[in-house]
Amino acid sequence: MKKYYIYITAIVLMLYQLNVAAQGTVDDQRRSMLLDDSLITNTDTLVSDTLDWPKNLRSKIELLLQSELFKTSTVGLEIYDLTADSVLFCFNQQQRMRPASTMKVINAVASLDKLSGSHLFKTRLYYTGRVENNVLKGDVYCKGGFDPLFNTDDLRAFAESLHKVGIDTIKGNICADLSMKDSDLLGEGWCWDDDNPQLSPLLLRGKNNFMKNFCSELRRMGLVHVGDTLKADTPAKATELCSRFHTIDQILMKMMKKSDNLFAESLFYQLAASSGVYRASAKNAKQQINKLIKKLGFNDTDYYIADGSGLSLYNYVSPELLVAFLRYAYQNDNIFIHLLPSLPVAGVDGTLANRMTNGLANKNVKAKTGTLTGISSLAGYCTAANGHQLCFAIINMGVRKTAMGQRFQDNVCKAMCEQ
């Protein structure tokens, strides 16, 4: 009998190895992205270990769920085995919950899917009229593209471009073109007493003070302005003088690593404007995200998308939906290659720099954190000790202290990485 068992074990192992090999080089590339070479463990494990590890993982998490924490708070979570294409563990995974900043995962995946990784955040300078004897008899237009990285060097380049065409006097208006988005400066459901960013498409160093500083820079360079400063759309016949841009990868790095809400809203409105609408609104961005929700097989009316940052108290998603977005990203190289490098790495950088600083979760877990009053969340990727790639989403609601939720999430991640 023992002899037959050995034969059966050998056959199971052979079939498992053939199945892994059949996934080809794409999965190998994804694996190398997910895990440093120093973290890759020996996958030549016994078949019994391969078959038992999901059971062992479930036992560990079930034990964690017995914590006193859950007498006064709620948790929803789902863990998905990307290698085996199956759910490993779930608990309250379909419950609608506030995602906090893990909302940025949904925003990032939907935006990369729609815009592509080559998308640029552009701010442009135009003029109308004619130049005579170094005098511009016409207007200057600063057309905003909601670029949160537009800085003083970019502003200086704008002013210098006027000098380069021989302009030292502007006899006309300097106009702020804010037509990229609607006039709402705050998001739906944002708390009035939070330190909220202002959602203007014309920004300087992330602040809504572009025009004041542009006029100051013109004066500093000796340009005279005889006219008004006002808001107006750029005419179709206007001539472009200068264009400054930043890449979507630059935006994603700060948006995800540092959980920057302004950068997230900037991306949200790029998504909103992607269909070519005039004065794009949050509603336009929600429509794009809802399209992807339906594409993934969910009913979009079961959830509510209020913003792109997770600041809103009106956002309601589920751990199951977050995992679906992470799975979709993993399956699409054009998304995954931009998303994964932007995620905080446990014990290394971003909002995970001081979490999971030792053990197999260290440098392994790559995930987006989320924090609001009473809410703590975590969603991302890791690699189990047997080489399987996993994605997961955990939302703790009703936690009195953020650290309590974070401790639970870290323990779940350690369990995933050690199995």
Side-chain angles (χ1 to χ4, degrees):
M1 188 69 181
K2 184 176 180 181
K3 182 177 181 181
Y4 290 131
Y5 176 76
I6 293 172
Y7 288 154
I8 292 171
T9 299
I11 291 170
V12 171
L13 179 58
M14 180 179 68
L15 290 173
Y16 172 76
Q17 291 173 336
L18 286 171
N19 180 57
V20 171
Q23 294 190 39
T25 58
V26 173
D27 278 354
D28 291 339
Q29 292 169 357
R30 292 196 186 103
R31 182 185 180 191
S32 65
M33 289 178 68
L34 276 168
L35 195 60
D36 294 335
D37 290 340
S38 61
L39 294 172
I40 297 177
T41 57
N42 182 8
T43 56
D44 294 330
T45 54
L46 295 175
V47 174
S48 58
D49 291 341
T50 301
L51 296 176
D52 287 346
W53 84 273
K55 182 179 178 181
N56 295 337
L57 176 61
R58 286 193 291 269
S59 296
K60 285 192 174 184
I61 298 177
E62 285 169 356
L63 186 61
L64 291 171
L65 287 170
Q66 294 177 24
S67 168
E68 293 286 317
L69 174 65
F70 301 113
K71 287 186 177 180
T72 55
S73 67
T74 304
V75 65
L77 68 92
E78 180 170 318
I79 302 168
Y80 198 92
D81 188 331
L82 294 162
T83 303
D85 194 20
S86 63
V87 175
L88 279 178
F89 187 89
C90 54
F91 182 82
N92 286 340
Q93 77 278 11
Q94 294 183 334
Q95 293 293 309
R96 286 187 289 271
M97 311 178 88
R98 292 173 183 164
S101 280
T102 54
M103 183 66 214
K104 293 180 175 73
V105 170
I106 290 175
N107 181 12
V109 173
S111 296
L112 285 167
D113 188 49
K114 176 69 175 179
L115 301 172
S116 86
S118 62
H119 181 77
L120 300 176
F121 291 63
K122 294 181 179 179
T123 308
R124 298 183 175 99
L125 184 70
Y126 295 85
Y127 76 94
T128 56
R130 63 189 186 278
V131 180
E132 296 178 355
N133 300 320
N134 302 114
V135 177
L136 172 62
K137 296 181 178 180
D139 301 324
V140 173
Y141 294 84
C142 302
K143 187 168 186 176
F146 209 151
D147 180 0
L149 283 172
F150 191 94
N151 57 35
T152 50
D153 288 339
D154 298 315
L155 197 72
R156 191 171 298 116
F158 268 24
E160 288 174 349
S161 69
L162 289 164
H163 253 315
K164 286 178 181 177
V165 294
I167 297 171
D168 59 26
T169 302
I170 301 169
K171 199 171 184 180
N173 300 317
I174 298 178
C175 306
D177 184 342
L178 308 177
S179 61
M180 182 257 191
K181 68 173 292 294
D182 60 17
S183 59
D184 292 342
L185 292 179
L186 297 175
E188 179 187 13
W190 288 8
C191 290
W192 65 269
D193 55 349
D194 276 351
D195 184 20
N196 297 313
Q198 290 203 339
L199 308 181
S200 170
L202 263 179
L203 298 168
L204 176 63
R205 299 189 301 272
K207 302 295 183 182
N208 186 17
N209 57 5
F210 185 101
M211 294 301 287
K212 176 183 176 181
N213 282 278
F214 181 54
C215 291
S216 294
E217 182 63 23
L218 292 177
R219 287 194 297 271
R220 190 189 70 80
M221 295 186 70
L223 274 78
V224 177
H225 173 218
V226 182
D228 295 325
T229 302
L230 46 84
K231 298 176 184 178
D233 292 359
T234 305
K237 64 180 180 179
T239 301
E240 184 174 323
L241 267 176
C242 187
S243 177
R244 303 290 283 186
F245 64 84
H246 292 94
T247 67
I248 196 168
D249 285 323
Q250 290 175 293
I251 302 299
L252 282 170
M253 289 300 285
K254 190 169 182 180
M255 166 182 162
M256 304 298 270
K257 294 280 188 187
K258 300 297 184 183
S259 201
D260 192 289
N261 295 318
L262 175 65
F263 281 57
E265 294 304 327
S266 173
L267 184 60
F268 191 63
Y269 276 94
Q270 304 292 321
L271 180 60
S274 64
S275 58
V277 295
Y278 179 68
R279 297 193 184 279
S281 68
K283 182 179 179 181
N284 301 130
K286 296 175 199 178
Q287 289 169 343
Q288 295 298 327
I289 293 176
N290 284 337
K291 285 180 183 178
L292 184 51
I293 289 174
K294 287 188 281 190
K295 181 179 177 179
L296 296 177
F298 295 87
N299 186 346
D300 62 303
T301 60
D302 289 342
Y303 311 98
Y304 192 81
I305 308 299
D307 64 15
S309 61
L311 273 174
S312 177
L313 298 180
Y314 298 166
N315 287 312
Y316 274 99
V317 300
S318 69
E320 181 183 48
L321 185 68
L322 277 166
V323 164
F325 271 74
L326 289 166
R327 287 174 57 201
Y328 183 73
Y330 180 80
Q331 293 161 359
N332 291 271
D333 290 341
N334 59 325
I335 298 174
F336 196 65
I337 197 171
H338 299 281
L339 177 68
L340 189 69
S342 73
L343 293 172
V345 181
V348 176
D349 62 17
T351 54
L352 284 180
N354 299 317
R355 291 174 61 179
M356 295 172 271
T357 54
N358 53 55
L360 292 180
N362 179 243
K363 299 181 182 179
N364 184 339
V365 173
K366 299 172 177 68
K368 182 71 200 74
T369 59
T371 305
L372 282 175
T373 302
I375 301 167
S376 179
S377 55
L378 188 69
Y381 303 94
C382 67
T383 302
N386 68 349
H388 282 218
Q389 280 119 54
L390 315 178
C391 67
F392 63 91
I394 309 168
I395 302 177
N396 290 91
M397 286 189 64
V399 288
R400 188 170 58 85
K401 295 181 179 180
T402 299
M404 298 167 74
Q406 291 177 344
R407 191 177 304 114
F408 171 77
Q409 295 153 19
D410 292 356
N411 286 333
V412 170
C413 287
K414 290 174 183 178
M416 287 189 288
C417 295
E418 291 168 1
Q419 289 301 314

